[in-house]
Amino acid sequence: MSTKIKRCSLLAASIIMIMAVAMVSSGSVLAEYDVKSIIINPNPPYQTSIWTDRSQYDPGDRLNVYFRTSKDAYVYIFDIDTVGNVSLIFPNIYSGSNYKRAGQTHSLPDNARYNLTIGGPAGVEQLVMIATPSQIRDVDWLRRSLEQGSFGPQLNVNITADRFMFEVKSVTITPVFGQDWSSAVTSFTVGRVSTPLPPPPPPVSRGTLNITSKPSGATVFLDGVEKGTTPLTITGVAYGVHDIAIMKKHYYTYSRQITVNSPNPYHIDATLARLPASSDWDDEVQLVNKSILVKWPQTGPFTETFTFRGSTGSVVINGDPILGMLSRVTGNITADAVGPVEFMQIKPSGPDSPWPGRVYEKIQYPFRVRVAVEDYSITTGAVFGIEYIDHVRLRLEIWHIGR
């Protein structure tokens, strides 16, 4: 933030900020710049809101800021400019007390000693408001802002804006006030920011699968979706990685992962192995068919134990949580004290990333387990830009396949 102040009639504060919503309270979502997900108090004991008199400004325009709190509180307002610099603009060396009464609309500038004037460059700028029941004391960024003798000096000299706001919350706010604080965010545009049209998506390339089996008449599943029986030709298969499963009663399931990357037909010739026969026990009997949602805070382990005709097994599905998200989800099977054997690993990206219908299957004699992805979402952490799994819903099926 490049904030400049002159006294008396020449007072002019130049602050460089972000894109606007008319009014954003502590319960809303900010799409342009995800500072709110960093600085938000998920259970605020009182409500705060902050807004500006306009949604778009040109360099040289005067800015007026308004804010409210539902409880008497000390208010701190940060500016995040269009290039990511963070400055404390309230309180400042010219402002009055930052202790504000509840139920009133307060404004900045709060006296005639200074003005707030928009600078540049063009872009999106943001204001972050924090309200606390008592003053923040003995903090380096606050001392620098109020003791350097200049209006709104830059606070985050060596780190990014999102990292600075994360440290304000985790180092200054939460250890002192616990949950007894509230926050709000608003933003606006500086200059005429034009958004170029996104390029058209590239055409989706597709291939063909020719699938046969010995014996024929087996049911074919592509990414968990039944497509027909062998011999079978499947056209219009999008380029990429796909799961193939070929099933026939009294035979082990044939499953593999293929990569379609050519318009030339992809041939799969599956030789199915017959299940061991013992009386009529070679019929597959389904023991479990259920949906499991893995999402913070219910991350597992989810354990399914089953017994049939003297054999006992278990399947365990477990999510690895980190900061309210999931770094991976795994599946293991144990059968008649053999195991556990891992048959599934889901990660947010790379070859282990999920897609709807992706299938993970394992035979651990005399049981067969099949897990299909029904639904999922991936999120990117605001601080470090790392992808995490927000949730994944799985369909778990387990069969006894004979002795």
Side-chain angles (χ1 to χ4, degrees):
M1 165 169 157
S2 57
T3 305
K4 304 173 184 177
I5 294 293
K6 298 179 181 179
R7 294 180 178 273
C8 300
S9 61
L10 297 180
L11 298 176
S14 170
I15 66 174
I16 308 172
M17 307 189 175
I18 299 188
M19 175 185 149
V21 282
M23 179 174 179
V24 179
S25 69
S26 56
S28 63
V29 178
L30 184 68
E32 290 293 329
Y33 190 95
D34 200 19
V35 165
K36 188 159 183 61
S37 67
I38 301 171
I39 203 66
I40 191 172
N41 181 350
N43 299 296
Y46 46 93
Q47 298 300 310
T48 53
S49 57
I50 184 171
W51 67 101
T52 56
D53 57 339
R54 289 159 51 187
S55 62
Q56 188 276 331
Y57 300 86
D58 291 320
D61 290 346
R62 294 287 180 88
L63 171 72
N64 292 295
V65 181
Y66 305 94
F67 58 92
R68 292 176 65 91
T69 174
S70 63
K71 176 183 176 180
D72 294 352
Y74 288 88
V75 173
Y76 301 84
I77 298 177
F78 299 85
D79 168 54
I80 303 175
D81 70 14
T82 56
V83 294
N85 298 321
V86 180
S87 304
L88 181 70
I89 64 169
F90 183 76
N92 60 66
I93 59 175
Y94 302 110
S95 65
S97 171
N98 66 323
Y99 184 73
K100 297 300 179 182
R101 295 294 182 183
Q104 302 178 20
T105 297
H106 305 279
S107 63
L108 296 180
D110 60 336
N111 61 57
R113 301 178 64 200
Y114 68 99
N115 287 314
L116 303 178
T117 303
I118 299 296
V124 181
E125 194 152 344
Q126 193 163 237
L127 297 175
V128 178
M129 170 184 173
I130 298 174
T132 57
S134 58
Q135 285 183 303
I136 298 174
R137 300 180 182 275
D138 300 323
V139 179
D140 179 64
W141 54 261
L142 186 59
R143 287 196 301 271
R144 277 190 287 147
S145 183
L146 299 179
E147 294 177 2
Q148 287 186 3
S150 61
F151 183 93
Q154 182 180 337
L155 301 178
N156 61 328
V157 177
N158 297 316
I159 58 176
T160 62
D162 53 0
R163 182 65 191 177
F164 177 80
M165 299 310 298
F166 175 79
E167 291 189 359
V168 168
K169 175 182 176 181
S170 61
V171 177
T172 304
I173 306 297
T174 303
V176 176
F177 303 105
Q179 293 294 316
D180 193 17
W181 61 281
S182 184
S183 61
V185 177
T186 190
S187 60
F188 54 87
T189 55
V190 176
R192 306 294 174 177
V193 180
S194 60
T195 303
L197 294 175
V204 177
S205 299
R206 300 183 181 275
T208 299
L209 303 181
N210 288 333
I211 304 173
T212 59
S213 69
K214 298 183 182 68
S216 61
T219 303
V220 177
F221 292 84
L222 174 63
D223 296 330
V225 179
E226 183 175 342
K227 294 295 184 180
T229 57
T230 58
L232 180 67
T233 297
I234 306 175
T235 59
V237 180
Y239 281 10
V241 179
H242 299 276
D243 284 331
I244 294 289
I246 303 173
M247 302 181 184
K248 188 175 178 65
K249 189 175 181 179
H250 306 309
Y251 291 85
Y252 287 111
T253 297
Y254 174 96
S255 61
R256 66 182 297 183
Q257 193 172 84
I258 63 170
T259 300
V260 178
N261 55 15
S262 169
N264 298 322
Y266 193 106
H267 296 278
I268 300 173
D269 186 13
T271 299
L272 306 182
R274 190 172 180 86
L275 291 167
S278 175
S279 183
D280 60 352
W281 285 32
D282 55 344
D283 288 340
E284 288 195 1
V285 178
Q286 190 172 64
L287 307 177
V288 176
N289 186 341
K290 65 187 300 184
S291 181
I292 296 175
L293 175 64
V294 187
K295 179 180 174 64
W296 173 265
Q298 282 77 41
T299 61
F302 301 92
T303 302
E304 195 70 29
T305 302
F306 38 90
T307 299
F308 191 79
R309 290 176 174 168
S311 294
T312 300
S314 64
V315 169
V316 178
I317 294 176
N318 190 41
D320 292 344
I322 178 171
L323 298 177
M325 298 295 177
L326 301 167
S327 60
R328 68 171 186 160
V329 177
T330 59
N332 296 274
I333 182 172
T334 300
D336 287 340
V338 177
V341 176
E342 184 175 282
F343 67 90
M344 179 187 74
Q345 180 167 246
I346 302 175
K347 294 183 178 180
S349 60
D352 295 321
S353 60
W355 62 77
R358 183 166 190 179
V359 173
Y360 306 85
E361 193 165 17
K362 176 70 176 176
I363 294 175
Q364 190 74 5
Y365 191 74
F367 299 106
R368 175 165 67 90
V369 59
R370 181 175 183 266
V371 176
V373 178
E374 294 185 322
D375 180 49
Y376 76 98
S377 66
I378 305 297
T379 188
T380 302
V383 177
F384 301 109
I386 299 175
E387 288 188 324
Y388 299 99
I389 301 170
D390 176 68
H391 80 276
V392 60
R393 187 184 299 276
L394 304 171
R395 171 63 57 177
L396 171 63
E397 297 175 275
I398 301 169
W399 292 266
H400 182 274
I401 59 175
R403 282 190 174 279

